[in-house]
């Protein structure tokens, strides 16, 4: 819980800086209202409550790392528990801060023999950029077309008004993800036991915990 609290403090500060205009690209009130509207709308769908949660069996997956090497959840679970973070992409400042927090916590996961990885719909070059910029020692796996995110119940379609905002902000998801659909996973963290059962889950309709 201490790690989560520290991460939340950083995310709260980042959110305050972003909404307070202390970013290179100052968001307009209309842009902030659109983001809040999208988060409220996604919460209202109840999708977060329907996503995979503690006690469920985690979907198995085989995804490529940024170098094109396939990684299997079954093989990783044969070695120990699995910690998975669903990551939106290199363009998301909240998500990047979370990856940095996970990297800082990695020695604790290593101590218990757990593997750590992130899953993103973005392309391999963008994942390599994410790993480089955030100084990660764990992989970001490419979830082409968001199929694994969908299996966990996390993938959602962006509403038209949010797509328009993303276009104005140069967040070109079809290019980032090599996928014409405007879809994203809800940010989520899972701890999966060696028998494939989800031991811990946190799914957030907003871009960060408790938003």
């Amino acid at each position: 819980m201490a790690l989560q609290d520290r991460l939340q403090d950083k995310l709260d500060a980042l959110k305050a800086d972003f909404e307070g205009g202390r970013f290179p690209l100052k968001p307009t009130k209309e842009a902030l209202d659109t983001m809040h509207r999208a988060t409220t709308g996604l919460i209202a769908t109840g999708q977060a409550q329907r996503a995979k949660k503690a006690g469920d069996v985690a979907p198995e997956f085989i995804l490529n790392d940024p170098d094109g090497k396939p990684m299997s959840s079954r093989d990783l679970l044969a070695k120990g528990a699995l910690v998975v973070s669903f990551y939106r992409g290199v363009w998301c400042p909240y998500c990047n801060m979370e990856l940095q927090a996970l990297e800082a916590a990695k020695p604790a996961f290593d101590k218990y023999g757990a593997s750590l990885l992130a899953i993103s719909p973005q392309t391999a070059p963008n994942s390599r950029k994410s790993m480089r910029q955030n100084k990660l020692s764990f992989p970001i796996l490419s979830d082409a077309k968001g199929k694994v995110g969908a299996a966990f119940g996390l993938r959602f379609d962006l509403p038209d008004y949010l797509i328009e905002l993303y276009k104005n902000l140069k967040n070109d998801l079809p290019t980032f993800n090599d996928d014409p659909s405007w879809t994203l996973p809800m940010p989520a963290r899972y701890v999966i036991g060696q028998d494939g059962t989800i031991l811990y889950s946190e799914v957030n309709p907003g871009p960060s915990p408790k938003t």
Side-chain angles (χ1 to χ4, degrees):
M1 292 300 295
L3 169 64
Q4 183 175 338
D5 290 342
R6 290 197 299 272
L7 173 59
Q8 186 61 50
D9 289 342
K10 291 181 179 180
L11 290 170
D12 288 344
L14 177 63
K15 183 177 181 181
D17 286 345
F18 179 70
E19 296 192 358
R22 293 182 289 276
F23 263 50
L25 180 62
K26 181 178 180 179
T28 64
K29 181 180 183 301
E30 291 75 13
L32 292 173
D33 287 346
T34 297
M35 294 176 189
H36 293 157
R37 176 187 174 191
T39 297
T40 300
L42 185 54
I43 290 171
T45 68
Q47 184 176 345
Q49 285 70 44
R50 295 191 299 273
K52 294 293 184 182
K53 55 185 177 297
D56 291 338
V57 175
E60 293 186 359
F61 57 83
I62 301 175
L63 296 173
N64 289 340
D65 71 9
D67 296 322
K69 176 185 175 182
M71 298 187 70
S72 162
S73 61
R74 178 177 292 186
D75 291 345
L76 292 170
L77 288 171
K79 303 174 184 177
L82 183 57
V83 180
V84 179
S85 174
F86 280 87
Y87 169 67
R88 289 185 169 184
V90 66
W91 52 271
C92 176
Y94 295 104
C95 307
N96 289 324
M97 183 169 286
E98 181 189 338
L99 292 185
Q100 293 167 25
L102 288 170
E103 177 64 31
K106 188 174 180 296
F109 301 141
D110 292 342
K111 178 180 177 181
Y112 290 101
S115 298
L116 172 63
L117 59 84
I119 294 176
S120 172
Q122 69 185 0
T123 61
N126 283 315
S127 289
R128 285 195 292 272
K129 183 178 180 180
S130 293
M131 294 181 64
R132 184 171 63 252
Q133 289 185 346
N134 292 299
K135 301 179 180 179
L136 305 181
S137 60
F138 62 89
I140 300 175
L141 307 186
S142 294
D143 182 19
K145 306 298 188 292
K147 292 180 180 179
V148 174
F152 275 82
L154 303 173
R155 187 180 64 186
F156 68 97
D157 295 314
L158 274 66
D160 291 342
Y161 62 84
L162 188 59
I163 292 174
E164 189 63 29
L165 173 63
Y166 274 30
K167 288 179 177 178
N168 291 337
L169 295 175
K170 309 302 182 185
N171 288 342
D172 185 1
L173 298 189
T175 298
F176 287 143
N177 300 340
D178 191 24
D179 179 1
S181 71
W182 284 81
T183 61
L184 285 173
M186 290 183 287
R189 287 142 295 280
Y190 290 98
V191 178
I192 304 170
Q194 285 193 269
D195 65 353
T197 301
I198 297 172
L199 304 177
Y200 171 84
S201 64
E202 182 184 356
V203 179
N204 304 287
S208 64
K210 301 181 183 177
T211 58

